[in-house]
Amino acid sequence: MPDLMLYYHTLRHLTARQWLGQGAHRLRRARERWLGVPAPAAAPPFPGCRWQPVRPFEPAAEVDMDDAGMLSGRMCFIGQEREAGWPPRWQPPEAPRLWQYNLHYHDWLWSLDFADVRAAALDWIARHRPAAGATGWESYPTSLRLMNWCWLFWGRWRPEVERDAAACEALWGSIHAQAQWLAGRLELHLLGNHLLENALALALVGSCFEGTVAMRWRQLGRRLLVRELDEQLLPDGLHFERSPMYHLRALRVIENLCATGDPELAALLGPRLEPMRRALALCCHPDGQIALLNDSAMGIYPAPGASIARLEAPLPEGAWALPDAGYYGWRAGGDYLIYDAGPIGPDYLPGHAHADIFSFELSLGGRRVIVDSGTHDYESGETRRRCRSTAAHNTVELNGHDQCEMWGAFRVGRRGRPRGVNFMPRRDGFTLEGWHDGYHRLPGRPTHRRRFDWSAGEGLVIQDRVESGWPVTAVSRLHLHPACEVEQISPETVAVRTGGEPVCTITAQGAGIEIGKYFYFPKFSTKVSGVVLAISKRAECIEFGWQLAQPGLEHPASHDERPDRKRLPREAPVTASRESSGSSA
């Protein structure tokens, strides 16, 4: 049970808007539990579709299932396959909450033909009615489902739907009920990406149909978007929760809204696309996938390539910066580096943040080498705690504590802040330095300073300094991608290879290297064993660091024929079973 001070430091950052939203949300839930959910108002006659799309709509999520599997009742979400039946059981109690959320998003309808999509939607309408505790009627899955239904039924299959009068009236009646429901249940108690999805859904559904009711949805969605986009999209283009995964989702949806042909939405959203695409491109490795900073996982949304290809001008190679997000790095050829020197997120919404100040990811020659541990699930427990911890990132941990007080599935108490960040780009690399106060709550008020120097074609030098009024134990870690093989050359040096080819040599400065194992979570519910390198020291003033040299340079790896070297083999991937824990939204 968290102590009172932890609650205080968690809750004191909430905004007045959130407090009011929490009160209204809890009162409404209590009323619906006791009095029941009121029946939706009858929909007016179908008003007709007003869309004139400028290009085909694209799915905003990745579907890891085939048609035959779904139609035989096997559903796979967040890496977990379960027997759901066909049409699915819409409220499977044994499934984690995020699994159920994905079922109700209806992203998976994109893989089916019209007859099966029609059957699934009509079954949902008939069997998943509004009720207290009905997962599919929570505002977030309602938002995503509304957009998917509109994109599919009035985008991809508009002629088929409008020829089928019975299906058209049933779908319109349900969409009317869902949109009215959503308009009265905006997620003001959460804000952030949840409220943004509410706004995008109302704007999109309102743009789809004729009539005064749809116009009200469109106007409400647009008013919300005007406010939320100014707040949630940083001036450098990245989403303010600083998760490349959620940024990718927001971009995909905004691109689809711009494709509706609605001039009002195009005028509001169109200017946002280029900065968002640029920010996304800078947060992607040479393998075409996103960096796993904060709550991010691969395979949830489609690969970023299609959105990045729409950039008006290609990005220049070399040093780059997203200064408002606090992300800096290098991209040239197959070498890529992203360094996190930003805050963990907005103070009132750190739920998708990790304790990762001054962590980084690195690709060399097109292959990931140094990686973030990733995100396994959203369920409160040891795995979730580990994924968010400082120990799971490529930075310095003091006395076994996190830089920020991470607790529960999404909570943060006291949080560290980067200070004095100075980014100095050069033609051949960059230098970045700064310090943070995340450990000032510990005895001696220790401060961690880091200097990070990257030179293209040569390598990386990391210098860490910890200053404290009391002795502390400092541990710096580097998490290697599971494809990497490690050979120990000396107590201070290891050689890293991938597929037998040399990738780099890593030398510890000021301490010997300890070699261990960790779990890498590139996708939800998937874990792969990898090698983690660590150096540690205990004192009041500590100086240590790392030197990474690329192949072809004069470095200790040239002595790898020593007979006393150790080889640590790779291990095969381990994927969670159906019963593994999943996530909440």
Side-chain angles (χ1 to χ4, degrees):
M1 174 66 71
D3 59 35
L4 290 178
M5 288 305 294
L6 187 55
Y7 275 113
Y8 167 74
H9 286 294
T10 301
L11 298 175
R12 71 185 183 92
H13 297 285
L14 299 184
T15 66
R17 197 177 181 205
Q18 281 173 300
W19 282 111
L20 291 172
Q22 284 284 351
H25 176 70
R26 293 171 186 273
L27 284 172
R28 181 170 57 246
R29 289 178 62 184
R31 184 173 64 248
E32 290 175 350
R33 279 197 303 269
W34 285 100
L35 302 178
V37 175
F46 177 62
C49 178
R50 64 189 295 269
W51 272 351
Q52 295 180 338
V54 297
R55 65 169 177 81
F57 300 117
E58 299 173 340
E62 193 75 40
V63 177
D64 189 22
M65 293 180 283
D66 57 40
D67 298 7
M70 281 189 276
L71 297 178
S72 66
R74 297 192 305 276
M75 293 284 190
C76 182
F77 303 119
I78 59 170
Q80 299 180 31
E81 184 177 290
R82 294 174 180 271
E83 292 292 338
W86 182 262
R89 290 179 294 124
W90 297 112
Q91 194 84 7
E94 75 284 358
R97 192 172 177 217
L98 186 56
W99 199 98
Q100 295 190 45
Y101 263 38
N102 275 267
L103 177 65
H104 288 282
Y105 295 162
H106 284 194
D107 292 316
W108 46 273
L109 294 180
W110 287 83
S111 298
L112 302 175
D113 62 24
F114 174 68
D116 293 321
V117 172
R118 177 188 183 279
L122 294 180
D123 186 80
W124 187 93
I125 292 169
R127 293 199 297 124
H128 197 69
R129 307 296 295 171
T135 303
W137 285 86
E138 292 185 35
S139 297
Y140 190 78
T142 298
S143 298
L144 274 62
R145 184 177 54 256
L146 279 170
M147 289 189 279
N148 279 316
W149 280 20
C150 287
W151 288 328
L152 287 169
F153 290 119
W154 277 276
R156 175 182 287 184
W157 288 309
R158 179 172 172 179
E160 290 86 342
V161 170
E162 294 183 349
R163 284 196 300 267
D164 187 342
C168 185
E169 287 298 330
L171 290 165
W172 161 247
S174 182
I175 287 174
H176 177 272
Q178 293 178 61
Q180 291 289 88
W181 175 277
L182 177 61
R185 290 167 173 77
L186 299 173
E187 293 178 277
L188 299 172
H189 59 298
L190 297 176
L191 304 180
N193 71 294
H194 277 242
L195 185 59
L196 181 61
E197 294 283 0
N198 302 164
L200 291 167
L202 288 169
L204 183 129
V205 178
S207 74
C208 184
F209 300 105
E210 302 282 2
T212 56
V213 173
M215 183 177 66
R216 288 198 296 270
W217 300 332
R218 187 167 69 255
Q219 289 175 341
L220 175 57
R222 187 184 180 282
R223 285 199 304 272
L224 287 167
L225 286 175
V226 168
R227 171 172 180 158
E228 294 306 313
L229 290 174
D230 282 345
E231 180 173 7
Q232 294 197 35
L233 295 184
L234 299 170
D236 56 27
L238 195 70
H239 187 256
F240 76 156
E241 292 188 61
R242 294 167 174 80
S243 158
M245 181 181 75
Y246 284 108
H247 177 84
L248 173 58
R249 162 73 194 185
L251 174 57
R252 295 282 297 197
V253 176
I254 289 173
E255 286 179 328
N256 271 354
L257 261 72
C258 289
T260 61
D262 186 303
E264 190 176 19
L265 292 181
L268 173 64
L269 301 174
R272 309 280 185 172
L273 292 176
E274 188 70 6
M276 291 184 75
R277 288 168 179 155
R278 178 182 180 276
L280 175 63
L282 293 175
C283 290
C284 288
H285 283 260
D287 61 13
Q289 290 286 354
I290 56 173
L292 299 183
L293 303 183
N294 291 311
D295 274 347
S296 290
M298 297 181 232
I300 300 299
Y301 303 121
S307 295
I308 295 172
R310 297 186 181 113
L311 275 167
E312 295 174 4
L315 296 181
E317 293 192 334
W320 60 266
L322 295 172
D324 303 291
Y327 291 167
Y328 303 88
W330 174 269
R331 55 188 303 277
D335 294 347
Y336 171 81
L337 193 153
I338 183 167
Y339 183 90
D340 184 353
I344 62 171
D347 268 335
Y348 67 84
L349 194 68
H352 291 299
H354 291 193
D356 61 354
I357 301 171
F358 300 156
S359 185
F360 69 100
E361 289 195 325
L362 174 68
S363 280
L364 296 174
R367 297 167 293 194
R368 296 193 187 215
V369 179
I370 309 293
V371 295
D372 187 292
S373 294
T375 300
H376 181 269
D377 59 51
Y378 287 171
E379 295 292 309
S380 183
E382 177 57 27
T383 303
R384 176 66 174 160
R385 187 206 68 76
R386 176 69 185 180
C387 288
R388 300 177 80 203
S389 71
T390 299
H393 298 86
N394 304 304
T395 186
V396 173
E397 176 194 54
L398 298 187
N399 284 356
H401 289 275
D402 295 331
Q403 302 161 338
C404 311
E405 290 181 304
M406 320 301 284
W407 65 281
F410 300 103
R411 309 297 184 194
V412 182
R414 287 172 288 184
R415 65 279 317 257
R417 302 177 190 278
R419 308 283 188 178
V421 174
N422 186 19
F423 176 67
M424 295 161 278
R426 307 185 305 271
R427 174 176 289 185
D428 68 336
F430 67 89
T431 299
L432 195 152
E433 56 189 13
W435 61 279
H436 73 84
D437 59 6
Y439 290 114
H440 280 189
R441 69 184 188 275
L442 301 183
R445 293 179 58 81
T447 295
H448 171 215
R449 301 178 184 273
R450 172 165 275 197
R451 181 182 174 91
F452 198 88
D453 197 301
W454 165 261
S455 297
E458 297 183 14
L460 175 66
V461 176
I462 301 173
Q463 296 171 289
D464 290 303
R465 181 179 176 88
V466 177
E467 298 169 329
S468 174
W470 193 264
V472 293
T473 300
V475 182
S476 179
R477 295 180 177 88
L478 297 180
H479 297 81
L480 302 181
H481 188 275
C484 293
E485 300 168 335
V486 173
E487 296 183 7
Q488 189 157 18
I489 307 306
S490 73
E492 297 82 20
T493 302
V494 299
V496 180
R497 289 176 167 81
T498 299
E501 298 181 6
V503 174
C504 64
T505 298
I506 299 175
T507 301
Q509 307 291 328
I513 296 178
E514 303 167 29
I515 302 176
K517 298 293 180 65
Y518 81 104
F519 281 122
Y520 177 53
F521 305 109
K523 298 181 178 182
F524 281 118
S525 303
T526 298
K527 63 181 181 180
V528 188
S529 179
V531 173
V532 58
L533 309 179
I535 53 177
S536 61
K537 294 181 76 172
R538 180 172 178 81
E540 292 183 13
C541 183
I542 297 170
E543 291 186 353
F544 58 8
W546 302 94
Q547 184 169 359
L548 184 151
Q550 293 180 258
L553 299 179
E554 196 64 38
H555 52 53
S558 60
H559 304 294
D560 68 353
E561 296 303 318
R562 284 175 43 169
D564 58 344
R565 71 186 182 190
K566 299 177 184 176
R567 177 182 290 271
L568 282 84
R570 290 175 290 164
E571 292 194 14
V574 179
T575 303
S577 66
R578 296 185 208 171
E579 290 72 33
S580 299
S581 83
S583 332
S584 99

